[in-house]
Amino acid sequence: MKPLGNRLEGPMAAKSQSNDPKTESPGSISKAETHGQWGRAWEVDWFSLASVTFLLLFAPFIVYYFIMACDQYSCSLTAPLVDIATGRARLSDIWAKTPPVTTKAAQIYVAWVTFQVLLYVLLPDFCHKFLPGYVGGVQEGAMTPAGIVNKYEINGLQAWLITHLLWFANSYLLACFSPTIIFDNWIPLLWCANILGYAVSTFAMIKGYFFPTDARDCKFTGNFLYNYMMGVEFNPRIGEWFDFKLFFNGRPGIVAWTLINLSFAAKQQELYGHVTNSMVLVNVLQAIYVLDFFWNETWYLKTIDICHDHFGWYLGWGDCVWLPYLYTLQGLYLVYHPVQLPTRYSLGVLLLGLLGYYIFRMANHQKDLFRRTDGRCVIWGRKPRVIECSFTSANEQKHRSKLLVSGFWGMARHFNYTGDLMGSLAYCLACGGGHLLPYFYIIYMAILLTHRCLRDEHRCANKYGRDWERYTAAVPYRLLPGIF
């Protein structure tokens, strides 16, 4: 859900604690920061409670509705509603046609999650030893409000490579199972994913109350629903190395993302005798972003997901269910509606996706370079322009900082999100214009990232005051230069 909010948005949308391009230490949380300045809220207002209640009630139904619509109504989002409204079908009829959880699906899912846990916990990273530029192995995260600096075994790229090598070895050599196995058990696997999502969220809630990893990094509101949804414990762990947030944010959902798409492509080949260029586009473009996530997994330790979010249903269920089932709708749609795109159109979609990825990656690179060098760097061939600013922390100490107004960060205040949206649109355009369903992703991402823009800017305005006004005057647009 890179879940309903942060991890629901996928690997591209993972970002630094705040999106302002400043040169403070990236991702760190000062010990001076107190109650209201880190993590989720301490108190729950009526709007937050209403939002939490809505998501808890309807997010699982939304996922079911999309998958059921493909299974029973060829991916039409309106046909089920029309059938119910006109009396041609009842809810009980639709539910009766929905495949239940099966022993086979349960065995597949347990084996999958167990395999990813073993790769995460037992196999130290070796990719960083022979891949130039890749940072893996044991790395330190940001300091928590309790003053703890956790260590992480960064081996996501390794897990992805091993998993996919085994997948292709099975598909072309071993034939232990059909490459369509994921599609063939898609709805039964949905129930297994829900079981895990609710189980891990409930366990994290109980753990936060009764045996937290560090009680100083817990937050309680007094409202059960909010605590369950947003999480109590900041960094729940079992033992020294199994970190709930890092594992569930990256594995098993994101590793599975590309496998799911490959299974959809295999099903298309089985049904129609060929794989369409639209399916190839979706597989390639989404694989680029998945690989980018794992290549930059160390950087991910400094993002809002790790540095601010607590682990609750929002991340636990979101990563198990929302991400693998709704981020792969394009591939699922193309199984039911194979689309062969005109060459020029497909090239246009490919260029849009690659350009979006380039903007996203380079914008984040410019911000990271600016921070690491304290502005002593070159961006687009010249010394970066900055706005000097200051802010006061909770302990009344004054700090100085710099805001970047060069490169992509001089075009818009959240131009990395612009690249993200371009890539998201490319996924959807690859499916043609026959149905609304594959366009859910761009609609969701546009709403999500716009909300994050406004939330980030509210935080920055409170933090920097008049200096932030100077910055917004210098960079007047949020996402789209000249428009918004």
Side-chain angles (χ1 to χ4, degrees):
M1 278 178 71
K2 258 160 72 269
L4 284 176
N6 302 331
R7 255 306 310 115
L8 290 184
E9 42 200 79
M12 287 178 59
K15 64 180 185 60
S16 302
Q17 297 179 62
S18 175
N19 204 43
D20 53 308
K22 57 184 184 295
T23 60
E24 300 164 51
S25 58
S28 63
I29 300 176
S30 167
K31 288 184 182 180
E33 292 189 87
T34 57
H35 283 14
Q37 296 179 298
W38 64 273
R40 59 149 176 87
W42 285 91
E43 297 178 353
V44 186
D45 57 38
W46 69 269
F47 180 78
S48 297
L49 182 58
S51 300
V52 163
T53 304
F54 175 83
L55 290 173
L56 286 171
L57 289 175
F58 292 104
F61 172 77
I62 291 170
V63 176
Y64 168 74
Y65 187 84
F66 274 83
I67 304 307
M68 175 277 298
C70 281
D71 183 55
Q72 298 185 31
Y73 289 90
S74 297
C75 297
S76 171
L77 293 179
T78 57
L81 298 176
V82 171
D83 272 10
I84 292 171
T86 57
R88 287 199 294 266
R90 296 174 298 177
L91 289 174
S92 58
D93 299 328
I94 293 174
W95 181 253
K97 295 178 184 177
T98 301
V101 66
T102 62
T103 301
K104 181 180 180 180
Q107 291 171 340
I108 293 169
Y109 198 77
V110 169
W112 165 251
V113 175
T114 302
F115 181 58
Q116 291 306 311
V117 170
L118 293 177
L119 288 179
Y120 176 60
V121 175
L122 298 182
L123 196 60
D125 181 72
F126 56 80
C127 288
H128 69 281
K129 296 181 179 180
F130 63 86
L131 290 177
Y134 173 68
V135 180
V138 178
Q139 301 292 328
E140 289 187 347
M143 182 183 292
T144 75
I148 297 169
V149 178
N150 288 314
K151 290 185 178 181
Y152 299 83
E153 177 67 48
I154 300 299
N155 58 6
L157 180 63
Q158 174 177 279
W160 188 92
L161 289 171
I162 291 173
T163 301
H164 284 71
L165 284 173
L166 290 174
W167 175 272
F168 284 113
N170 173 77
S171 298
Y172 293 102
L173 298 173
L174 305 176
C176 296
F177 55 84
S178 169
T180 66
I181 189 172
I182 299 176
F183 176 87
D184 295 338
N185 295 275
W186 195 225
I187 294 181
L189 287 172
L190 172 62
W191 307 132
C192 298
N194 269 281
I195 291 170
L196 177 62
Y198 278 98
V200 73
S201 304
T202 303
F203 175 79
M205 176 82 160
I206 295 170
K207 183 178 182 300
Y209 272 94
F210 297 105
F211 48 100
T213 304
D214 193 299
R216 296 170 298 172
D217 279 337
C218 293
K219 276 190 174 182
F220 302 91
T221 62
N223 185 283
F224 175 82
L225 290 179
Y226 189 87
N227 288 344
Y228 183 71
M229 169 81 170
M230 301 307 296
V232 168
E233 195 171 355
F234 197 46
N235 287 305
R237 289 189 159 208
I238 294 179
E240 184 180 0
W241 294 105
F242 189 85
D243 184 271
F244 278 63
K245 276 201 294 190
L246 185 63
F247 177 78
F248 284 100
N249 269 305
R251 277 75 63 74
I254 297 182
V255 174
W257 189 345
T258 39
L259 288 184
I260 292 166
N261 282 340
L262 288 170
S263 185
F264 291 162
K267 192 65 181 182
Q268 199 183 66
Q269 173 72 38
E270 178 185 284
L271 292 174
Y272 310 108
H274 68 283
V275 177
T276 63
N277 59 1
S278 56
M279 180 68 85
V280 172
L281 274 174
V282 168
N283 270 262
V284 169
L285 291 175
Q286 294 187 349
I288 288 172
Y289 290 112
V290 169
L291 277 170
D292 178 89
F293 173 80
F294 286 119
W295 184 270
N296 294 285
E297 192 175 14
T298 296
W299 169 79
Y300 184 65
L301 298 180
K302 309 295 185 180
T303 64
I304 194 170
D305 295 4
I306 300 296
C307 296
H308 275 280
D309 285 345
H310 292 242
F311 188 86
W313 184 89
Y314 177 81
L315 291 180
W317 180 89
D319 286 322
C320 291
V321 181
W322 184 273
L323 187 154
Y325 274 85
L326 293 191
Y327 287 14
T328 58
L329 283 176
Q330 290 77 32
L332 181 65
Y333 171 82
L334 291 171
V335 174
Y336 293 93
H337 297 277
V339 175
Q340 185 67 28
L341 300 171
T343 301
R344 288 185 179 180
Y345 182 91
S346 61
L347 287 175
V349 171
L350 177 63
L351 289 175
L352 175 65
L354 293 177
L355 179 61
Y357 172 73
Y358 173 79
I359 291 173
F360 167 79
R361 176 45 48 213
M362 289 308 299
N364 281 325
H365 170 71
Q366 288 174 359
K367 179 173 64 175
D368 183 57
L369 177 66
F370 181 67
R371 283 174 163 169
R372 285 189 289 106
T373 63
D374 193 29
R376 292 184 290 273
C377 59
V378 174
I379 294 178
W380 286 359
R382 63 183 65 181
K383 183 179 178 181
R385 293 172 52 233
V386 302
I387 289 181
E388 301 280 350
C389 58
S390 63
F391 64 95
T392 303
S393 58
N395 62 356
E396 302 302 324
Q397 288 187 348
K398 232 173 175 175
H399 305 267
R400 300 202 63 78
S401 185
K402 301 172 185 176
L403 298 176
L404 175 64
V405 292
S406 288
F408 286 118
W409 299 95
M411 298 176 65
R413 302 195 291 271
H414 306 270
F415 210 66
N416 55 338
Y417 287 174
T418 306
D420 199 338
L421 290 171
M422 291 170 65
S424 301
L425 180 60
Y427 304 163
C428 304
L429 289 174
C431 297
H435 283 78
L436 176 63
L437 181 138
Y439 286 83
F440 166 81
Y441 190 76
I442 183 61
I443 296 170
Y444 167 72
M445 288 296 289
I447 295 171
L448 184 69
L449 294 183
T450 300
H451 174 260
R452 293 190 76 164
C453 281
L454 299 176
R455 187 181 66 178
D456 285 345
E457 298 206 348
H458 177 72
R459 181 184 298 167
C460 291
N462 289 335
K463 180 176 182 178
Y464 295 114
R466 290 185 178 179
D467 291 331
W468 184 253
E469 294 177 7
R470 291 168 51 221
Y471 173 66
T472 56
V475 187
Y477 298 103
R478 291 186 175 96
L479 283 171
L480 301 174
I483 301 175
F484 174 72

